[in-house]
Amino acid sequence: MAADGAARPVPDYPITSVDHALRLVLLLQREGALGVRDAAVALGVSPSKAHRLLAMLVYRGFADQGPDRRYHPGPVLHRTPHAAASVVTLRQLARRHLEALVDEVDETVNLTILSGTAVHFILTVQADRALRSGDRTGASLPAHRTSGGKVLLATLAEEELAAVYAGVAGVELEALLVELEQVRRRGYAINDQQTETGLSAVGVLVPAPAGVAPAAVSIASPTGRFERGRIPSWVRALRVTADRIADELTRAHRSG
């Protein structure tokens, strides 16, 4: 029986793994929290398979794992229709500017937004190089480890940060506050292999009008090419790109 009360036919060729993942999403929406064993029993699968499914939901932002080791609804399930609409606009307006930035720096570029303690990658434009950062479109990562996440967290007041990270395991709030203050002073953030060994990134904030999802744009590069001497020129290019995206967002917001 569907959520609207109407019976829906079973597909001719059902994909069990997809069905399991979608059932977990519905359980998270309805129950609010799930343990691995709860999920395994609900699906009739082994705990190891339930754990793998939940891990994929975390990766795609449909679930978060709390300090109690239980899984809770993730940032994707918390989004409002208004936020979703603004993200679509942001992605559409930003694409050509990200493509121009990739042409300039010859490295992969990401556009991210903040959702709780995670950043969601809404657009990746990859460099045309054999060794490059992967396409992370649709993925979610801990905000305090990514360059884009750090510049977005730096827009929050200390009280907001304390509330966001209350009870979050593995985060030293005082150390994070010190780092974010440094990000505010210099106007950019660095991720030096904090999310993935061999990958580094630098990010800046996209200043956006009220009612539009705050965003960050970042350059991601294999660490071997991430030379400190290149950071100033990359930051300048990022700021130009961020300002161009912001100008388009402002015009779209006024006309809308």
Side-chain angles (χ1 to χ4, degrees):
M1 187 71 70
D4 58 7
R8 303 199 192 282
V10 176
D12 291 334
Y13 302 100
I15 303 173
T16 303
S17 60
V18 174
D19 185 50
H20 283 160
L22 294 175
R23 286 173 62 192
L24 283 179
V25 169
L26 294 173
L27 281 169
L28 286 167
Q29 285 184 316
R30 186 170 67 242
E31 305 295 335
L34 284 174
V36 171
R37 292 194 177 278
D38 299 327
V41 170
L43 298 178
V45 299
S46 67
S48 61
K49 183 168 185 177
H51 181 266
R52 292 194 298 271
L53 287 164
L54 287 163
M56 285 305 300
L57 294 185
V58 170
Y59 176 65
R60 290 300 181 184
F62 287 90
D64 279 326
Q65 189 173 25
D68 59 356
R69 311 301 296 171
R70 289 166 65 78
Y71 292 84
H72 305 261
V76 171
L77 299 182
H78 290 152
R79 287 186 199 132
T80 63
H82 174 76
S86 68
V87 167
V88 170
T89 300
L90 174 61
R91 184 187 295 113
Q92 291 172 341
L93 295 179
R95 181 178 293 276
R96 68 185 180 93
H97 300 296
L98 266 60
E99 291 172 347
L101 179 58
V102 170
D103 289 341
E104 179 178 353
V105 301
D106 202 18
E107 297 289 355
T108 294
V109 175
N110 293 300
L111 185 68
T112 53
I113 59 172
L114 183 66
S115 186
T117 62
V119 285
H120 186 62
F121 288 73
I122 65 171
L123 180 61
T124 293
V125 179
Q126 290 183 284
D128 187 17
R129 307 181 75 160
L131 183 61
R132 61 187 180 183
S133 172
D135 187 347
R136 284 185 166 165
T137 303
S140 294
L141 289 173
H144 68 285
R145 295 181 183 173
T146 69
S147 60
K150 291 174 187 179
V151 294
L152 289 164
L153 289 173
T155 66
L156 304 180
E158 185 173 328
E159 297 78 14
E160 292 178 278
L161 287 164
V164 167
Y165 282 97
V168 176
V171 177
E172 291 283 347
L173 182 59
E174 289 303 319
L176 179 60
L177 291 174
V178 170
E179 182 177 12
L180 294 181
E181 180 56 36
Q182 184 182 32
V183 170
R184 293 185 191 100
R185 286 199 307 270
R186 65 190 184 187
Y188 65 90
I190 291 174
N191 160 20
D192 191 6
Q193 305 187 80
Q194 290 176 272
T195 55
E196 183 179 334
T197 301
L199 180 69
S200 300
V202 57
V204 305
L205 184 72
V206 177
V212 177
V217 61
S218 59
I219 297 171
S221 166
T223 300
R225 293 201 298 265
F226 194 79
E227 301 171 4
R228 293 283 168 164
R230 302 179 71 182
I231 291 176
S233 63
W234 280 2
V235 169
R236 285 193 294 272
L238 282 165
R239 285 174 174 159
V240 169
T241 299
D243 286 342
R244 288 172 176 167
I245 295 170
D247 287 344
E248 293 224 31
L249 286 170
T250 299
R251 287 195 293 270
H253 190 63
R254 287 173 179 168
S255 64

